[in-house]
Amino acid sequence: MFSPRVSSDILYLFNRGQLFHAYRTFGAHMDEYEGASGVRFTVWAPRAREVRVAGEFNGWDGANHRLQPAGTTGVWNGFIPGLKEGMLYKFEIVGADGQLRLKSDPFAFRCETRPSTASVVAGLDGYEWRDRAWMEGSRARAPYDKPMLIYEVHLGSWRSDAPERFRTYDELADELVDYVLEMGYTHIEILPLAEHPLDQSWGYQATGYFAPTSRYGPPDGLKRLVDRCHLRGIGVLLDWVPGHFCKDDHGLRLFDGSPQFEPEDWRVAEKPLWGTLAFDFGKPEVQSFLISNALYWLEVFHIDGLRVDAVASMIDLHFDKPEEMRAYNRRGGTEHLDALDFLRKLNETVFRYFPNALMIAEDSSAWPGVTSPTYMGGLGFNYKWNMGWMNDSLKYMQTDPDRRPAVHSLLTFSLLYAYSENFVLPLSHDEVVHGKRSLLNKMPGTYEEKFANLRLYYGYWMTHPGKKLLFMGGEFGQFDEWKDAGELDWMLLKYPLHDGLRRFVRDLNALYGSESVLWESDHHPDGFRWIDPDNAPQSMLTYVRRGADARRHLVCVCNFSRMNYPAFRIGVPYGTVYRIILNSDVPDYGGFGRKLPRQSKAERKPMHGQSFSLELPVPPLSFLLLEPEPIAVE
């Protein structure tokens, strides 16, 4: 076994937390050394006494394939001639305690399908990408004034042929992409794809951070899926989990026999909510590992952005911990200073290489400046999930319409902070599991009223400032909670109310994409104006969405009550004709089909602080979207 030298510059950067493409060095790489073809292995195990490579090529006995230490850097490497792509391997690590541990490669680019746990020698190159136009066009533009309508997907349960019979990346590349395009979404967000041992973790408890899960086929299959999305004009986001990892023996836990990837202090390391371990964010080599992983997905798989999971759990030392597990930082506070520094460094680095990538924080905390630049003291993300809006609005919608006047402020409060961050409004998988009920089943009232409420809610959601995310199944009214072990209840589309909801969502999505006033000023207060936010007695909301040119606008009318209003007057900005371009109550959507005029003429009757007003019928539990005729320049 040969021991090729690792560059001292690479080792220095790795130990300094500055090797941002560590995957090009670490792991198993096809290579040539002294005229022989084979595989070069490099691994970080700083407290190991000995590191060997075991695999199918040596009967899983690494005695004759020992790696050599690269000085005092904690890095071990070696070259085994004759090995080929596709071969299985693991590292035999003799820890400082003298015990032998058999570990998967932290930098493996492919893993066996669970329950097997070996790493697989796999190359990174060879795929011929076809998405150059996307990479040089849409991906090269800043996201803020663009539409962003995200369809959140768990690949294993979107479509499934049988229990544990997952469709492959290649099979999904046709059907899923066609469906997303038909429904009008701009992005797909995929639940984590890093290799993980337990299906029921949905990928949020990983062991192989650089290995796309083999459940759905080889890594090139994922590249083909992303490529097809880009060719059809759809962006791809990936849920990414740098906050914690699972404790399975073949993974990162006690990798060299000591806390290596996890903190030494067990109170900081343990994540009791999930039964996992936190990363040691202050350790430079862990920073190199994680930041390299973020860039790996963006560079090697052309992922357009990362939704960073559970940020609140990273930055709070006391997050969901009992008294005996609470620790404090060097200043005596509960902020996880190392995690905060890591997140700033992560975002600075990602944007250095990919200036227009999407870095989205799933953060339920009240930490200020999550989407502010790091040079202004922020964490440096460019988007954050608006968990406050989600919790408040769902609480309101679950209230019976007769009692909604008492909680009216739950719908209006979000506008007080809507521009404090760059927000995504999430209706995610987290809201339809663990006894929370599906979105449709959260709605009160009769069976028909449930659908009417959900259509109304979607209209309010789509016209509220902020980008949008909906979990799969919500578009057609999945009635049961999400079942990760099966597929969505597609058979519901045989029933008119469910198919009507799908058609409403499709048309609402199409309007969102075509009406730039709904997204081009998402992050500027001039893009939204209340008409009447205070009509709690009638449970009515009326407001305007405006574009960069204030004359370009849409009027939104939301009736959250059971009352039918044959003649309801609202103030409007201009004395022109307004026509209804979307009505959630029409029969095609499953509505009751009350007759409404196609258009209404505004009169010079001041109301709601506007110089003009108009009168129109407003059905119960309905959403109306009104567009003015072109307004002449005066």
Side-chain angles (χ1 to χ4, degrees):
M1 182 169 180
F2 305 110
S3 296
R5 182 172 175 269
V6 180
S7 161
S8 59
D9 290 342
I10 286 176
L11 294 172
Y12 173 79
L13 291 172
F14 181 71
N15 291 145
R16 294 273 297 178
Q18 300 291 328
L19 189 63
F20 300 136
H21 294 87
Y23 60 87
R24 298 176 184 172
T25 298
F26 288 79
H29 293 263
M30 300 298 300
D31 207 347
E32 290 189 1
Y33 185 67
E34 295 186 357
S37 297
V39 176
R40 167 174 48 85
F41 295 92
T42 307
V43 65
W44 174 55
R47 297 182 188 174
R49 294 183 185 177
E50 190 175 354
V51 180
R52 308 187 289 253
V53 182
E56 57 181 344
F57 48 85
N58 60 16
W60 295 98
D61 182 354
N64 295 322
H65 292 111
R66 290 177 168 83
L67 302 184
Q68 298 300 312
T72 59
T73 63
V75 175
W76 301 71
N77 77 303
F79 177 85
I80 304 179
L83 299 193
K84 300 184 182 301
E85 192 165 338
M87 287 188 167
L88 307 180
Y89 72 98
K90 283 188 176 183
F91 292 120
E92 291 180 347
I93 298 178
V94 180
D97 56 4
Q99 293 186 26
L100 176 66
R101 293 170 174 84
L102 196 59
K103 292 288 190 177
S104 299
D105 183 354
F107 282 90
F109 304 132
R110 188 175 179 183
C111 295
E112 282 189 290
T113 304
R114 53 89 182 102
S116 299
T117 58
S119 302
V120 182
V121 176
L124 292 178
D125 304 319
Y127 180 77
E128 295 292 333
W129 287 93
R130 301 174 294 161
D131 63 349
R132 181 175 179 179
W134 172 272
M135 302 294 281
E136 294 178 353
S138 294
R139 189 168 173 176
R141 291 171 50 202
Y144 305 106
D145 60 352
K146 293 164 58 178
M148 191 188 304
L149 179 54
I150 304 166
Y151 187 60
E152 187 188 30
V153 179
H154 176 254
L155 292 184
S157 59
W158 186 74
R159 287 281 194 184
S160 176
D161 296 326
E164 297 192 11
R165 166 58 182 97
F166 302 115
R167 296 203 177 177
T168 66
Y169 296 116
D170 286 304
E171 290 169 333
L172 290 163
D174 290 324
E175 192 171 8
L176 174 61
V177 175
D178 288 349
Y179 180 78
V180 167
L181 197 66
E182 176 199 353
M183 291 298 295
Y185 295 98
T186 65
H187 293 73
I188 298 172
E189 180 177 316
I190 306 173
L191 268 59
L193 291 178
E195 193 58 84
H196 51 284
L198 181 66
D199 293 351
Q200 287 72 30
S201 78
W202 314 329
Y204 290 98
Q205 297 184 13
T207 51
Y209 272 74
F210 290 82
T213 178
S214 55
R215 288 167 174 79
Y216 314 125
D220 276 3
L222 175 58
K223 292 179 181 178
R224 284 188 286 271
L225 172 58
V226 175
D227 210 5
R228 181 168 174 78
C229 285
H230 288 171
L231 290 170
R232 304 293 297 277
I234 299 168
V236 182
L237 309 177
L238 182 64
D239 279 14
W240 185 61
V241 190
H244 61 119
F245 57 89
C246 66
K247 295 181 178 181
D248 292 55
D249 285 341
H250 68 280
L252 302 179
R253 176 178 175 268
L254 299 175
F255 187 78
D256 64 359
S258 67
Q260 178 181 328
F261 287 91
E262 64 268 37
E264 297 270 358
D265 188 338
W266 70 275
R267 298 171 301 171
V268 180
E270 291 285 345
K271 293 281 193 180
L273 179 63
W274 300 299
T276 55
L277 293 171
F279 281 99
D280 187 346
F281 302 110
K283 194 173 290 182
E285 295 87 352
V286 172
Q287 296 172 16
S288 288
F289 175 82
L290 288 173
I291 295 175
S292 291
N293 186 243
L295 293 178
Y296 169 80
W297 292 107
L298 300 176
E299 181 173 275
V300 175
F301 290 92
H302 289 200
I303 298 296
D304 298 293
L306 302 173
R307 175 271 204 181
V308 181
D309 182 64
V311 169
S313 78
M314 297 172 65
I315 64 179
D316 181 4
L317 288 168
H318 288 186
F319 182 86
D320 200 55
K321 291 191 175 181
E323 189 67 35
E324 66 272 14
M325 291 184 64
R326 294 188 173 179
Y328 296 86
N329 63 37
R330 59 183 176 272
R331 301 173 186 169
T334 63
E335 307 90 347
H336 196 329
L337 301 178
D338 288 340
L340 290 165
D341 288 342
F342 163 75
L343 290 171
R344 296 184 185 106
K345 183 175 180 179
L346 165 72
N347 288 318
E348 288 172 354
T349 306
V350 166
F351 291 130
R352 182 191 314 167
Y353 290 98
F354 298 96
N356 295 311
L358 289 164
M359 293 297 289
I360 304 171
E362 189 247 342
D363 176 30
S364 58
S365 77
W367 190 267
V370 172
T371 60
S372 294
T374 57
Y375 62 79
M376 295 177 62
L379 293 186
F381 290 93
N382 52 10
Y383 279 96
K384 171 182 172 173
W385 277 17
N386 192 337
M387 310 294 275
W389 170 87
M390 179 273 297
N391 284 314
D392 285 351
S393 64
L394 284 178
K395 183 177 179 181
Y396 178 89
M397 292 306 301
Q398 290 178 84
T399 303
D400 187 272
D402 295 341
R403 295 192 294 272
R404 284 175 177 169
V407 293
H408 187 76
S409 63
L410 290 173
L411 287 186
T412 59
F413 179 68
S414 57
L415 269 300
L416 296 178
Y417 61 86
Y419 304 102
S420 62
E421 304 275 6
N422 299 326
F423 282 122
V424 173
L425 308 186
L427 296 172
S428 77
H429 68 280
D430 279 331
E431 310 319 314
V432 295
V433 292
H434 304 319
K436 297 177 184 175
R437 296 179 292 171
S438 70
L439 291 180
L440 179 63
N441 208 12
K442 291 179 195 289
M443 301 296 116
T446 65
Y447 191 68
E448 292 77 11
E449 285 178 338
K450 287 180 178 292
F451 284 91
N453 269 299
L454 190 54
R455 294 192 301 268
L456 164 60
Y457 182 49
Y458 284 160
Y460 161 75
W461 166 67
M462 193 67 80
T463 54
H464 188 290
K467 308 308 183 185
K468 312 298 187 295
L469 177 143
L470 180 66
F471 184 57
M472 62 183 198
E475 75 275 16
F476 61 81
Q478 180 88 10
F479 203 84
D480 291 339
E481 284 193 343
W482 169 45
K483 303 177 288 291
D484 58 76
E487 70 171 8
L488 296 179
D489 294 331
W490 294 103
M491 75 287 188
L492 291 174
L493 290 173
K494 296 185 298 184
Y495 299 94
L497 282 174
H498 291 275
D499 193 46
L501 177 61
R502 184 195 63 81
R503 288 195 295 269
F504 174 74
V505 170
R506 180 199 61 197
D507 292 353
L508 181 64
N509 290 354
L511 274 174
Y512 173 81
S514 64
E515 297 286 352
S516 61
V517 299
L518 295 177
W519 39 262
E520 67 182 357
S521 297
D522 258 331
H523 312 303
H524 195 286
D526 286 345
F528 179 94
R529 283 290 183 271
W530 284 116
I531 293 174
D532 184 6
D534 300 321
N535 192 348
Q538 292 179 297
S539 295
M540 293 286 293
L541 278 185
T542 49
Y543 50 93
V544 171
R545 288 302 308 270
R546 304 196 307 185
D549 179 350
R551 291 169 300 175
R552 292 178 47 244
H553 67 282
L554 296 173
V555 173
C556 310
V557 181
C558 304
N559 180 6
F560 292 96
S561 78
R562 290 190 172 99
M563 294 298 297
N564 180 43
Y565 297 105
F568 193 87
R569 183 168 290 275
I570 62 169
V572 291
Y574 295 98
T576 187
V577 172
Y578 286 80
R579 64 185 182 92
I580 297 174
I581 59 173
L582 190 69
N583 171 11
S584 70
D585 190 55
V586 300
D588 194 47
Y589 300 147
F592 295 101
R594 295 170 179 84
K595 293 291 185 181
L596 272 67
R598 296 187 62 182
Q599 60 188 37
S600 301
K601 178 69 170 70
E603 305 170 271
R604 190 173 285 280
K605 292 182 178 180
M607 192 173 186
H608 298 136
Q610 309 289 331
S611 300
F612 302 88
S613 64
L614 58 81
E615 195 172 73
L616 77 165
V618 181
L621 300 175
S622 69
F623 170 80
L624 305 177
L625 193 60
L626 282 65
E627 181 180 55
E629 286 188 348
I631 300 163
V633 178
E634 297 180 0

